Amino acid sequence: MKKSLFLYLSILAVLFAVFTYSFLGSEVKFEQERYKKITTKLRDSINLLTTKLADANYFSLEKNENAQNYFDSGSAEKMIQYEKLIPVVTEKLLDLNANPKGNPYTGQDQIGANKFIINKVKVLNHRWIIADFSDGDIWGEVLLKYFVNEDESISFEVNQSLLYQKQK
């Protein structure tokens, strides 16, 4: 009786070990496949976002070699580094928001109680800037020309400005 009990317990232990090994082996394989699928999906998402970002930045001074070469005069002293130019141009344009009548480069006169100020600036190339502006109630966009003068000052010129219809 004791021998048969040990035999049954041994067989039961071996079966339990085989089923446990089989279950854990399939669980590991399942997790590995799941990890592979998630990793592939994440890589695809990263590639898609990278492509979208490259498309979004297509019109930018940072990505436009022809516009960058415009600032290369051949002389090391006169060469303008576009990496340093972009923040300077942006800062100069945003500094004009302090004007009591609003930023003069929105291309719009003050309509209500609030003045128009520029909120966001994107330097498109060696000549153009697009900017978003508002008075807190009315929004618009402006296309500007900018020039780096001989004395390294920056000047701006409104090319086109538009206001969006006020939302009701």
Side-chain angles (χ1 to χ4, degrees):
M1 175 86 173
K2 243 182 182 183
K3 282 186 178 183
S4 61
L5 180 62
F6 283 128
L7 179 65
Y8 289 130
L9 286 177
S10 298
I11 292 172
L12 189 59
V14 167
L15 283 175
F16 185 73
V18 167
F19 284 124
T20 301
Y21 175 78
S22 171
F23 172 76
L24 291 178
S26 65
E27 183 71 18
V28 167
K29 187 175 180 180
F30 171 78
E31 288 297 326
Q32 286 174 341
E33 288 175 12
R34 187 171 151 225
Y35 174 76
K36 203 182 277 186
K37 285 179 186 176
I38 290 173
T39 304
T40 303
K41 188 175 181 179
L42 288 175
R43 279 194 188 112
D44 291 345
S45 296
I46 289 171
N47 289 338
L48 178 66
L49 288 175
T50 302
T51 302
K52 282 186 176 185
L53 182 61
D55 288 346
N57 282 328
Y58 180 79
F59 291 106
S60 70
L61 183 56
E62 295 99 341
K63 301 290 182 192
N64 187 336
E65 278 188 44
N66 293 324
Q68 293 167 10
N69 291 337
Y70 175 82
F71 295 112
D72 185 7
S73 66
S75 168
E77 306 91 46
K78 286 288 190 183
M79 190 170 125
I80 299 171
Q81 294 178 344
Y82 72 92
E83 302 95 342
K84 294 180 180 176
L85 178 68
I86 294 170
V88 169
V89 168
T90 302
E91 183 181 329
K92 296 276 187 205
L93 191 56
L94 292 176
D95 284 348
L96 295 167
N97 285 342
N99 187 325
K101 294 227 180 247
N103 194 314
Y105 295 107
T106 60
Q108 302 292 329
D109 294 328
Q110 186 172 337
I111 295 175
N114 298 328
K115 63 183 182 175
F116 283 112
I117 60 169
I118 292 180
N119 303 309
K120 192 143 183 89
V121 175
K122 174 126 177 137
V123 179
L124 298 176
N125 58 26
H126 64 288
R127 186 61 65 223
W128 296 337
I129 296 172
I130 190 166
D132 169 77
F133 64 89
S134 76
D135 69 354
D137 195 31
I138 301 172
W139 296 85
E141 292 176 355
V142 63
L143 184 63
L144 300 168
K145 286 183 181 179
Y146 74 98
F147 304 92
V148 179
N149 303 319
E150 289 293 324
D151 62 353
E152 295 187 9
S153 64
I154 311 282
S155 58
F156 301 98
E157 179 183 305
V158 175
N159 192 354
Q160 183 112 26
S161 177
L162 67 91
L163 287 174
Y164 291 108
Q165 290 184 359
K166 193 173 177 181
Q167 297 296 321
K168 295 177 185 181

Coordinates of all heavy atoms in Angstrom, one line a residue, residues 86-96:
I86 N 18.3 82.3 -35.9 CA 16.9 82.0 -35.7 C 16.4 82.5 -34.4 O 15.4 83.2 -34.3 CB 16.6 80.5 -35.9 CG1 16.8 80.1 -37.3 CG2 15.2 80.1 -35.4 CD1 16.8 78.6 -37.6
P87 N 17.1 82.2 -33.2 CA 16.6 82.8 -32.0 C 16.7 84.3 -31.9 O 15.9 85.0 -31.3 CB 17.5 82.2 -30.9 CG 18.5 81.2 -31.6 CD 18.2 81.3 -33.0
V88 N 17.7 84.9 -32.6 CA 17.9 86.4 -32.6 C 16.7 87.0 -33.3 O 16.1 88.0 -32.8 CB 19.2 86.8 -33.2 CG1 19.3 88.3 -33.4 CG2 20.4 86.3 -32.3
V89 N 16.4 86.5 -34.5 CA 15.3 87.0 -35.3 C 14.0 86.9 -34.5 O 13.2 87.8 -34.4 CB 15.2 86.3 -36.7 CG1 13.9 86.6 -37.4 CG2 16.4 86.7 -37.5
T90 N 13.8 85.7 -33.9 CA 12.5 85.5 -33.2 C 12.4 86.4 -32.0 O 11.4 87.0 -31.8 CB 12.5 84.0 -32.7 OG1 12.6 83.1 -33.8 CG2 11.3 83.7 -31.9
E91 N 13.5 86.6 -31.3 CA 13.5 87.5 -30.1 C 13.3 88.9 -30.5 O 12.5 89.6 -29.9 CB 14.9 87.4 -29.4 CG 15.0 88.2 -28.1 CD 16.3 88.1 -27.4 OE1 16.9 87.0 -27.5 OE2 16.7 89.1 -26.8
K92 N 13.9 89.4 -31.6 CA 13.7 90.8 -32.1 C 12.3 91.0 -32.4 O 11.7 92.0 -32.1 CB 14.6 91.1 -33.3 CG 16.1 91.0 -33.0 CD 16.5 92.3 -32.5 CE 18.1 92.3 -32.4 NZ 18.6 93.2 -31.4
L93 N 11.7 90.0 -33.1 CA 10.3 90.2 -33.5 C 9.3 90.2 -32.3 O 8.4 91.0 -32.2 CB 9.9 89.1 -34.4 CG 8.6 89.2 -35.2 CD1 8.4 90.5 -35.9 CD2 8.4 88.0 -36.1
L94 N 9.6 89.3 -31.3 CA 8.8 89.2 -30.1 C 9.0 90.4 -29.2 O 8.1 90.8 -28.5 CB 9.0 87.9 -29.3 CG 8.6 86.6 -30.1 CD1 9.0 85.4 -29.3 CD2 7.1 86.7 -30.3
D95 N 10.2 91.0 -29.2 CA 10.4 92.2 -28.4 C 9.5 93.4 -28.8 O 9.2 94.3 -28.0 CB 11.9 92.7 -28.5 CG 12.8 91.8 -27.7 OD1 12.3 91.0 -26.9 OD2 14.0 91.9 -27.9
L96 N 9.1 93.4 -30.1 CA 8.2 94.4 -30.6 C 6.8 94.3 -30.0 O 6.0 95.2 -30.2 CB 8.2 94.4 -32.1 CG 9.5 94.8 -32.8 CD1 9.5 94.4 -34.2 CD2 9.9 96.2 -32.6

